[in-house]
Amino acid sequence: MLELLLQQAVNGLTQGMAYALVALGLTMIFGVLHIINFSHGELYMLGGLMAVVATTMLGLPYGLALVLAVVAVVAIAALVDLVAVRPVLPTKDGPSTVLLSTFAVSLLLHQSVLSTWGPNPSRVEGLAGSLSLGPIVITNHRLLVLVSGVVILLAIEYVLRRTLVGRRIRAVAQSEFAAQVVGIDVARIRTLTFLGAAAIAAIAGALIAPVSLFTPSMGQHAIITAFVVVVIGGMGNATGAVVCGLLLGLLEALASAFMPQDMGTAVIYALLLIFLLIRPQGLFAGRAR
Amino acid sequence: MLELSGLSVTYGKVRAVEDIALTAARGEAVALIGANGAGKSSILKAILGLATSSGSVRVDGTELTGRPSHARVMRGVALSPEGRHVFPQMSVLENLEMGFIGGDFPALCEDMLELFPRLRERSSQLAGSMSGGEQQMLAIARALMSRPKVLMLDEPTLGLAPIIVDQIRALIGLLKTKGMTVLLAEQNAEMALAATDRAYVLETGHITATGPSAKLAADPAIRRAYLGL
Ligand SMILES: Nc1ncnc2c1ncn2[C@@H]1O[C@H](COP(=O)(O)OP(=O)(O)OP(=O)(O)O)[C@@H](O)[C@H]1O
Ligand SMILES: [Mg+2]
């Protein structure tokens, strides 16, 4: 029994790392642009798709597939930014209109992949082999997801705290008006944040695809989960997004050991509702940006 | 150094400032005085490109109209905004860095910490946890980090102790001797007129009087309306 739980915990953390990365991007975009990018989950899905295309159709090694996923998804995100965010944001009620315009983009991306690729799950070859820790088995690929996730999180922390462009991103998040006053090119910072978050989502999607198979609907599940994570972690709060992303992956996996898969998802929706009602500012409100 | 002509500022359909002309020379301090809502802040924001405006804004002969704010900062305008607006979750040094646009960063920082010794004591403290007076010092220092030709101060003395008001007044004198142009928007007309060479009186978006600050301070009508005498 304990072994089953531990095994599920490891699996849950792997999935949780993907949630954390998607949610972190979503919350960064919220913190800097004050918008909810509804198409963010589809960028994650496209990361997974690129991994499939690169490894199975182009026969590229997995490492190169990761690079390709990032490049392709960032290019698509730049287009999304250009078409659905930048022109919409300055209009009256811009932020809420962007929710709709990016929702439209998400449907478009999802349907395009669904109609060309088909709904069936696709396998992606990741790292082979596995590691046994007593009774628990961790595949090397799950290990890769966890290690890469931690490295990416540390890299983001480093960029935001230790580089000038990162501090400018934080400045815009803290006060857009003050950022304009001191001459920060706020539009450029917004685009950089949007594309940076897209790159993270792409890596997450490409990393998780060999674990959970690629399906065109993985983006929809991810955006809902990430949204829950962001609400629970506190809108715009990076630490909250990471911690809650990992916890939610864990919870989902542990719950699925005791109840049917769909119940785990229902639990997540229930959590969202509870938090929106009793603590809309999130668990980590007021933490540093 | 600074020349405004035919400047109007609008918020939607509301005209906050209408067709004003204003100049300020190199090394000159100029005050904008007027009651709440007269349009002082609107003019300063328009100079920096932060409010919708029409007309002409020239700095050192360069037309700034139509350029984004960050391009205007590069051209030598800086603002210490009303309400200070420091970056609350950043340290004093990080705030100064955000105002930096080029040159020798450590030397500029050192200049600022020299100018505002209080900031040196608090250099790694988060700006949001500092007192109002300290935040005001920081807002001014952050504006000075870009080594502007024109420094705009919007209500720098609001709610501050007399001793800090005196410090800010002395600072304006010092900056003038370095050739900087200072544009000071203040409701505290007494302080503003004492700290500047010339002044403009603003009423509901129009300039109703202008002249040497000392002369305006002696004008009975202005004394009655703005100095409470
Ligand atoms: N963002 C805005 N939207 C709509 N109207 C505005 C906005 N900002 C200022 N106004 C209006 O423009 C007019 C001028 O405001 P402004 O802030 O420039 O005055 P001010 O002289 O700086 O006043 P105060 O001394 O109170 O700071 C006011 O009538 C104000 O209501
Ligand atoms: Mg004002």
Short mmCIF file of all heavy atoms in Angstrom, two decimals, chain A residues 161 163-164 166-168 170-172 174-186 286-289, chain B residues 45 48 50 69-70 73 77-82 85-90 94-95 97-101 142:
data_model
loop_
_atom_site.label_atom_id
_atom_site.label_comp_id
_atom_site.label_asym_id
_atom_site.label_seq_id
_atom_site.Cartn_x
_atom_site.Cartn_y
_atom_site.Cartn_z
N ARG A 161 15.86 37.77 -10.97
CA ARG A 161 16.52 38.47 -9.87
C ARG A 161 17.87 39.05 -10.29
O ARG A 161 18.27 40.09 -9.81
CB ARG A 161 16.76 37.55 -8.67
CG ARG A 161 15.54 36.85 -8.18
CD ARG A 161 15.01 37.46 -6.90
NE ARG A 161 13.60 37.16 -6.81
CZ ARG A 161 12.70 37.89 -6.19
NH1 ARG A 161 13.06 39.01 -5.60
NH2 ARG A 161 11.44 37.55 -6.16
N THR A 163 19.34 39.45 -13.57
CA THR A 163 19.65 40.11 -14.84
C THR A 163 18.83 41.39 -14.97
O THR A 163 17.76 41.52 -14.36
CB THR A 163 19.35 39.21 -16.06
OG1 THR A 163 17.93 39.06 -16.18
CG2 THR A 163 19.99 37.83 -15.92
N LEU A 164 19.34 42.32 -15.75
CA LEU A 164 18.68 43.61 -15.90
C LEU A 164 17.30 43.44 -16.53
O LEU A 164 16.31 44.01 -16.06
CB LEU A 164 19.54 44.54 -16.77
CG LEU A 164 18.98 45.95 -16.97
CD1 LEU A 164 18.75 46.66 -15.64
CD2 LEU A 164 19.89 46.77 -17.86
N GLY A 166 15.40 40.88 -16.44
CA GLY A 166 14.53 40.24 -15.47
C GLY A 166 14.03 41.23 -14.44
O GLY A 166 12.85 41.23 -14.07
N ARG A 167 14.92 42.11 -13.99
CA ARG A 167 14.48 43.12 -13.01
C ARG A 167 13.51 44.10 -13.66
O ARG A 167 12.60 44.62 -13.01
CB ARG A 167 15.70 43.83 -12.43
CG ARG A 167 16.47 42.93 -11.46
CD ARG A 167 17.46 43.69 -10.61
NE ARG A 167 18.63 44.08 -11.36
CZ ARG A 167 19.79 43.40 -11.35
NH1 ARG A 167 19.89 42.32 -10.62
NH2 ARG A 167 20.81 43.82 -12.05
N ARG A 168 13.69 44.34 -14.96
CA ARG A 168 12.72 45.22 -15.64
C ARG A 168 11.36 44.54 -15.73
O ARG A 168 10.33 45.20 -15.61
CB ARG A 168 13.23 45.59 -17.04
CG ARG A 168 14.33 46.61 -16.96
CD ARG A 168 14.68 47.19 -18.32
NE ARG A 168 15.64 48.26 -18.14
CZ ARG A 168 16.63 48.53 -18.97
NH1 ARG A 168 16.77 47.81 -20.08
NH2 ARG A 168 17.45 49.52 -18.73
N ARG A 170 10.18 42.47 -13.53
CA ARG A 170 9.59 42.63 -12.20
C ARG A 170 9.11 44.05 -11.97
O ARG A 170 8.08 44.28 -11.34
CB ARG A 170 10.61 42.23 -11.13
CG ARG A 170 10.74 40.71 -10.98
CD ARG A 170 11.91 40.34 -10.08
NE ARG A 170 11.87 41.01 -8.79
CZ ARG A 170 12.92 41.56 -8.20
NH1 ARG A 170 14.11 41.51 -8.76
NH2 ARG A 170 12.80 42.15 -7.04
N ALA A 171 9.86 45.02 -12.50
CA ALA A 171 9.46 46.42 -12.33
C ALA A 171 8.10 46.66 -12.99
O ALA A 171 7.22 47.28 -12.39
CB ALA A 171 10.51 47.35 -12.95
N VAL A 172 7.91 46.14 -14.19
CA VAL A 172 6.63 46.32 -14.88
C VAL A 172 5.51 45.64 -14.09
O VAL A 172 4.41 46.18 -13.95
CB VAL A 172 6.69 45.78 -16.33
CG1 VAL A 172 5.31 45.83 -16.97
CG2 VAL A 172 7.69 46.58 -17.15
N GLN A 174 5.40 45.24 -10.90
CA GLN A 174 5.12 45.97 -9.67
C GLN A 174 4.40 47.29 -9.91
O GLN A 174 3.55 47.69 -9.14
CB GLN A 174 6.42 46.22 -8.91
CG GLN A 174 6.93 44.97 -8.23
CD GLN A 174 8.32 45.15 -7.64
OE1 GLN A 174 8.68 46.23 -7.19
NE2 GLN A 174 9.09 44.10 -7.63
N SER A 175 4.76 47.98 -10.97
CA SER A 175 4.07 49.23 -11.32
C SER A 175 4.32 49.57 -12.77
O SER A 175 5.41 50.01 -13.14
CB SER A 175 4.52 50.38 -10.43
OG SER A 175 4.00 51.58 -10.94
N GLU A 176 3.29 49.36 -13.56
CA GLU A 176 3.43 49.65 -14.99
C GLU A 176 3.66 51.15 -15.19
O GLU A 176 4.47 51.57 -16.02
CB GLU A 176 2.17 49.20 -15.71
CG GLU A 176 2.36 49.14 -17.19
CD GLU A 176 1.24 48.38 -17.88
OE1 GLU A 176 0.95 47.25 -17.46
OE2 GLU A 176 0.68 48.94 -18.82
N PHE A 177 2.94 51.96 -14.39
CA PHE A 177 3.07 53.41 -14.53
C PHE A 177 4.51 53.84 -14.23
O PHE A 177 5.13 54.56 -15.00
CB PHE A 177 2.09 54.12 -13.60
CG PHE A 177 2.25 55.60 -13.58
CD1 PHE A 177 1.88 56.37 -14.67
CD2 PHE A 177 2.80 56.24 -12.48
CE1 PHE A 177 2.03 57.76 -14.67
CE2 PHE A 177 2.97 57.62 -12.46
CZ PHE A 177 2.58 58.38 -13.55
N ALA A 178 5.05 53.36 -13.09
CA ALA A 178 6.42 53.75 -12.73
C ALA A 178 7.41 53.26 -13.79
O ALA A 178 8.38 53.95 -14.10
CB ALA A 178 6.78 53.18 -11.36
N ALA A 179 7.14 52.10 -14.35
CA ALA A 179 8.04 51.57 -15.38
C ALA A 179 8.06 52.50 -16.59
O ALA A 179 9.12 52.78 -17.15
CB ALA A 179 7.60 50.16 -15.79
N GLN A 180 6.89 53.00 -16.96
CA GLN A 180 6.85 53.95 -18.08
C GLN A 180 7.57 55.23 -17.71
O GLN A 180 8.30 55.80 -18.52
CB GLN A 180 5.39 54.26 -18.44
CG GLN A 180 4.75 53.16 -19.24
CD GLN A 180 3.28 53.46 -19.49
OE1 GLN A 180 2.57 53.94 -18.62
NE2 GLN A 180 2.83 53.16 -20.68
N VAL A 181 7.37 55.68 -16.46
CA VAL A 181 7.99 56.91 -16.01
C VAL A 181 9.51 56.84 -16.15
O VAL A 181 10.14 57.78 -16.60
CB VAL A 181 7.58 57.24 -14.55
CG1 VAL A 181 8.49 58.29 -13.95
CG2 VAL A 181 6.13 57.69 -14.51
N VAL A 182 10.10 55.71 -15.77
CA VAL A 182 11.56 55.62 -15.82
C VAL A 182 12.07 55.26 -17.21
O VAL A 182 13.27 55.14 -17.43
CB VAL A 182 12.15 54.62 -14.79
CG1 VAL A 182 11.81 55.06 -13.37
CG2 VAL A 182 11.67 53.21 -15.05
N GLY A 183 11.18 55.10 -18.16
CA GLY A 183 11.62 54.90 -19.53
C GLY A 183 11.85 53.45 -19.91
O GLY A 183 12.60 53.16 -20.84
N ILE A 184 11.20 52.52 -19.20
CA ILE A 184 11.26 51.12 -19.62
C ILE A 184 10.30 50.95 -20.79
O ILE A 184 9.18 51.48 -20.77
CB ILE A 184 10.87 50.19 -18.45
CG1 ILE A 184 11.95 50.25 -17.37
CG2 ILE A 184 10.68 48.75 -18.94
CD1 ILE A 184 11.60 49.48 -16.11
N ASP A 185 10.74 50.25 -21.82
CA ASP A 185 9.88 50.01 -22.98
C ASP A 185 8.90 48.89 -22.59
O ASP A 185 9.17 47.71 -22.76
CB ASP A 185 10.75 49.59 -24.17
CG ASP A 185 9.93 49.45 -25.45
OD1 ASP A 185 8.68 49.41 -25.36
OD2 ASP A 185 10.55 49.38 -26.52
N VAL A 186 7.76 49.30 -22.05
CA VAL A 186 6.83 48.34 -21.45
C VAL A 186 6.29 47.36 -22.49
O VAL A 186 6.13 46.17 -22.21
CB VAL A 186 5.68 49.09 -20.73
CG1 VAL A 186 4.60 48.13 -20.28
CG2 VAL A 186 6.22 49.86 -19.54
N GLY A 286 0.37 38.39 -1.33
CA GLY A 286 1.27 39.32 -0.69
C GLY A 286 2.73 38.94 -0.75
O GLY A 286 3.58 39.67 -0.26
N ARG A 287 3.03 37.79 -1.39
CA ARG A 287 4.44 37.42 -1.48
C ARG A 287 5.15 38.25 -2.54
O ARG A 287 4.55 38.82 -3.43
CB ARG A 287 4.57 35.94 -1.83
CG ARG A 287 4.21 35.03 -0.66
CD ARG A 287 5.31 35.04 0.41
NE ARG A 287 6.58 34.63 -0.15
CZ ARG A 287 7.03 33.39 -0.12
NH1 ARG A 287 6.33 32.47 0.44
NH2 ARG A 287 8.21 33.10 -0.65
N ALA A 288 6.47 38.32 -2.44
CA ALA A 288 7.27 39.16 -3.33
C ALA A 288 7.16 38.72 -4.79
O ALA A 288 7.00 37.55 -5.08
CB ALA A 288 8.73 39.12 -2.90
N ARG A 289 7.21 39.71 -5.65
CA ARG A 289 7.19 39.43 -7.07
C ARG A 289 8.59 39.42 -7.63
O ARG A 289 9.34 40.32 -7.36
CB ARG A 289 6.41 40.50 -7.81
CG ARG A 289 4.94 40.31 -7.62
CD ARG A 289 4.21 41.36 -8.39
NE ARG A 289 2.80 41.06 -8.37
CZ ARG A 289 1.87 41.89 -8.82
NH1 ARG A 289 2.20 43.03 -9.34
NH2 ARG A 289 0.63 41.57 -8.78
N LYS B 45 2.80 64.87 -17.36
CA LYS B 45 2.64 63.55 -17.98
C LYS B 45 2.68 63.68 -19.50
O LYS B 45 3.24 62.81 -20.18
CB LYS B 45 1.33 62.89 -17.52
CG LYS B 45 1.44 62.34 -16.10
CD LYS B 45 0.31 61.36 -15.80
CE LYS B 45 -0.75 62.02 -14.94
NZ LYS B 45 -1.89 61.16 -14.67
N LEU B 48 6.12 63.80 -20.87
CA LEU B 48 6.77 62.49 -20.91
C LEU B 48 6.04 61.51 -21.83
O LEU B 48 6.46 60.37 -22.00
CB LEU B 48 6.85 61.93 -19.48
CG LEU B 48 7.93 60.88 -19.21
CD1 LEU B 48 9.30 61.40 -19.59
CD2 LEU B 48 7.92 60.47 -17.75
N LEU B 50 2.89 60.41 -21.40
CA LEU B 50 2.07 59.50 -20.62
C LEU B 50 0.60 59.92 -20.59
O LEU B 50 -0.20 59.34 -19.88
CB LEU B 50 2.60 59.41 -19.19
CG LEU B 50 3.99 58.81 -19.05
CD1 LEU B 50 4.48 58.93 -17.61
CD2 LEU B 50 4.01 57.37 -19.50
N SER B 69 7.32 57.12 -24.47
CA SER B 69 7.95 57.61 -23.24
C SER B 69 9.42 57.23 -23.12
O SER B 69 10.26 58.02 -22.73
CB SER B 69 7.22 57.05 -22.01
OG SER B 69 5.87 57.33 -22.09
N HIS B 70 9.73 55.96 -23.46
CA HIS B 70 11.12 55.54 -23.26
C HIS B 70 12.06 56.31 -24.17
O HIS B 70 13.20 56.59 -23.79
CB HIS B 70 11.27 54.02 -23.42
CG HIS B 70 10.79 53.47 -24.71
ND1 HIS B 70 11.61 53.28 -25.79
CD2 HIS B 70 9.56 53.08 -25.12
CE1 HIS B 70 10.91 52.78 -26.79
NE2 HIS B 70 9.65 52.65 -26.40
N VAL B 73 12.64 59.71 -22.42
CA VAL B 73 13.60 59.62 -21.32
C VAL B 73 15.01 59.66 -21.88
O VAL B 73 15.89 60.36 -21.37
CB VAL B 73 13.36 58.34 -20.48
CG1 VAL B 73 14.47 58.16 -19.45
CG2 VAL B 73 12.01 58.40 -19.79
N VAL B 77 14.38 63.85 -20.55
CA VAL B 77 13.34 64.28 -19.62
C VAL B 77 13.16 63.21 -18.55
O VAL B 77 13.18 62.02 -18.88
CB VAL B 77 11.94 64.42 -20.27
CG1 VAL B 77 11.29 65.72 -19.87
CG2 VAL B 77 11.98 64.24 -21.75
N ALA B 78 12.98 63.63 -17.31
CA ALA B 78 12.73 62.64 -16.26
C ALA B 78 11.69 63.21 -15.31
O ALA B 78 11.60 64.42 -15.13
CB ALA B 78 14.01 62.32 -15.50
N LEU B 79 10.90 62.31 -14.73
CA LEU B 79 9.80 62.72 -13.86
C LEU B 79 9.89 62.01 -12.52
O LEU B 79 10.09 60.80 -12.46
CB LEU B 79 8.47 62.39 -14.54
CG LEU B 79 7.19 62.52 -13.70
CD1 LEU B 79 6.90 63.98 -13.34
CD2 LEU B 79 5.99 61.94 -14.46
N SER B 80 9.73 62.78 -11.46
CA SER B 80 9.46 62.19 -10.15
C SER B 80 7.96 62.37 -9.96
O SER B 80 7.49 63.48 -9.72
CB SER B 80 10.26 62.93 -9.08
OG SER B 80 9.72 62.68 -7.81
N PRO B 81 7.18 61.30 -10.11
CA PRO B 81 5.74 61.47 -10.24
C PRO B 81 5.03 61.78 -8.92
O PRO B 81 5.55 61.50 -7.84
CB PRO B 81 5.27 60.12 -10.80
CG PRO B 81 6.27 59.15 -10.31
CD PRO B 81 7.59 59.89 -10.20
N GLU B 82 3.87 62.38 -9.05
CA GLU B 82 2.99 62.62 -7.91
C GLU B 82 2.66 61.26 -7.28
O GLU B 82 2.31 60.31 -7.98
CB GLU B 82 1.71 63.28 -8.42
CG GLU B 82 0.72 63.63 -7.35
CD GLU B 82 -0.49 64.36 -7.93
OE1 GLU B 82 -0.63 64.43 -9.16
OE2 GLU B 82 -1.29 64.85 -7.13
N HIS B 85 5.44 56.62 -6.52
CA HIS B 85 5.48 55.45 -7.39
C HIS B 85 6.85 54.79 -7.47
O HIS B 85 7.35 54.50 -8.56
CB HIS B 85 5.00 55.80 -8.80
CG HIS B 85 3.54 56.10 -8.85
ND1 HIS B 85 2.59 55.13 -8.97
CD2 HIS B 85 2.89 57.28 -8.76
CE1 HIS B 85 1.38 55.71 -8.96
NE2 HIS B 85 1.53 57.00 -8.84
N VAL B 86 7.45 54.52 -6.32
CA VAL B 86 8.67 53.71 -6.33
C VAL B 86 8.26 52.25 -6.58
O VAL B 86 7.09 51.91 -6.47
CB VAL B 86 9.43 53.82 -4.98
CG1 VAL B 86 9.96 55.22 -4.81
CG2 VAL B 86 8.54 53.41 -3.83
N PHE B 87 9.22 51.40 -6.94
CA PHE B 87 8.90 49.98 -7.10
C PHE B 87 8.94 49.35 -5.72
O PHE B 87 10.01 49.21 -5.13
CB PHE B 87 9.90 49.32 -8.05
CG PHE B 87 9.86 49.89 -9.44
CD1 PHE B 87 10.88 50.67 -9.92
CD2 PHE B 87 8.76 49.65 -10.26
CE1 PHE B 87 10.83 51.22 -11.19
CE2 PHE B 87 8.69 50.20 -11.53
CZ PHE B 87 9.73 50.98 -12.00
N PRO B 88 7.78 48.99 -5.17
CA PRO B 88 7.71 48.66 -3.74
C PRO B 88 8.50 47.41 -3.33
O PRO B 88 9.04 47.36 -2.25
CB PRO B 88 6.20 48.46 -3.50
CG PRO B 88 5.62 48.16 -4.84
CD PRO B 88 6.47 48.89 -5.84
N GLN B 89 8.57 46.42 -4.24
CA GLN B 89 9.23 45.15 -3.90
C GLN B 89 10.69 45.12 -4.35
O GLN B 89 11.27 44.06 -4.48
CB GLN B 89 8.50 43.97 -4.52
CG GLN B 89 7.03 43.91 -4.19
CD GLN B 89 6.75 43.14 -2.93
OE1 GLN B 89 7.66 42.89 -2.15
NE2 GLN B 89 5.51 42.77 -2.73
N MET B 90 11.23 46.31 -4.63
CA MET B 90 12.64 46.36 -5.01
C MET B 90 13.39 47.19 -3.99
O MET B 90 12.83 48.09 -3.36
CB MET B 90 12.78 46.99 -6.39
CG MET B 90 12.32 46.10 -7.50
SD MET B 90 12.71 46.88 -9.08
CE MET B 90 12.49 45.47 -10.14
N GLU B 94 18.03 48.70 -6.50
CA GLU B 94 17.33 48.21 -7.69
C GLU B 94 16.44 49.30 -8.29
O GLU B 94 16.35 49.44 -9.51
CB GLU B 94 16.47 46.98 -7.34
CG GLU B 94 17.28 45.71 -7.13
CD GLU B 94 16.41 44.53 -6.73
OE1 GLU B 94 15.53 44.69 -5.86
OE2 GLU B 94 16.61 43.44 -7.27
N ASN B 95 15.80 50.10 -7.43
CA ASN B 95 15.01 51.22 -7.92
C ASN B 95 15.89 52.20 -8.71
O ASN B 95 15.51 52.66 -9.78
CB ASN B 95 14.35 51.97 -6.75
CG ASN B 95 12.94 51.46 -6.47
OD1 ASN B 95 11.97 51.91 -7.10
ND2 ASN B 95 12.82 50.51 -5.57
N GLU B 97 18.59 51.48 -10.21
CA GLU B 97 19.00 50.83 -11.46
C GLU B 97 17.92 50.98 -12.54
O GLU B 97 18.22 51.14 -13.72
CB GLU B 97 19.28 49.35 -11.22
CG GLU B 97 19.83 48.64 -12.44
CD GLU B 97 19.78 47.13 -12.30
OE1 GLU B 97 18.87 46.62 -11.63
OE2 GLU B 97 20.66 46.46 -12.87
N MET B 98 16.64 50.94 -12.11
CA MET B 98 15.56 51.07 -13.08
C MET B 98 15.56 52.45 -13.74
O MET B 98 15.10 52.61 -14.86
CB MET B 98 14.21 50.80 -12.41
CG MET B 98 14.00 49.35 -11.99
SD MET B 98 14.07 48.19 -13.37
CE MET B 98 15.64 47.38 -13.06
N GLY B 99 16.07 53.44 -13.02
CA GLY B 99 16.13 54.79 -13.60
C GLY B 99 17.36 55.01 -14.46
O GLY B 99 17.47 56.01 -15.17
N PHE B 100 18.29 54.07 -14.41
CA PHE B 100 19.58 54.20 -15.11
C PHE B 100 19.42 53.89 -16.60
O PHE B 100 18.81 52.89 -16.96
CB PHE B 100 20.56 53.22 -14.46
CG PHE B 100 21.89 53.11 -15.14
CD1 PHE B 100 22.79 54.16 -15.08
CD2 PHE B 100 22.24 51.96 -15.81
CE1 PHE B 100 24.03 54.06 -15.69
CE2 PHE B 100 23.48 51.84 -16.43
CZ PHE B 100 24.37 52.89 -16.37
N ILE B 101 19.92 54.79 -17.45
CA ILE B 101 19.80 54.50 -18.88
C ILE B 101 21.16 54.46 -19.60
O ILE B 101 21.22 54.17 -20.79
CB ILE B 101 18.88 55.51 -19.61
CG1 ILE B 101 19.39 56.93 -19.43
CG2 ILE B 101 17.45 55.39 -19.12
CD1 ILE B 101 18.68 57.93 -20.32
N ARG B 142 15.88 58.39 -8.40
CA ARG B 142 15.65 57.50 -9.53
C ARG B 142 15.52 58.31 -10.82
O ARG B 142 16.04 57.93 -11.86
CB ARG B 142 14.37 56.69 -9.27
CG ARG B 142 14.09 55.61 -10.29
CD ARG B 142 12.79 54.88 -9.94
NE ARG B 142 11.63 55.76 -10.08
CZ ARG B 142 10.38 55.37 -9.81
NH1 ARG B 142 10.14 54.17 -9.36
NH2 ARG B 142 9.39 56.23 -9.96
#
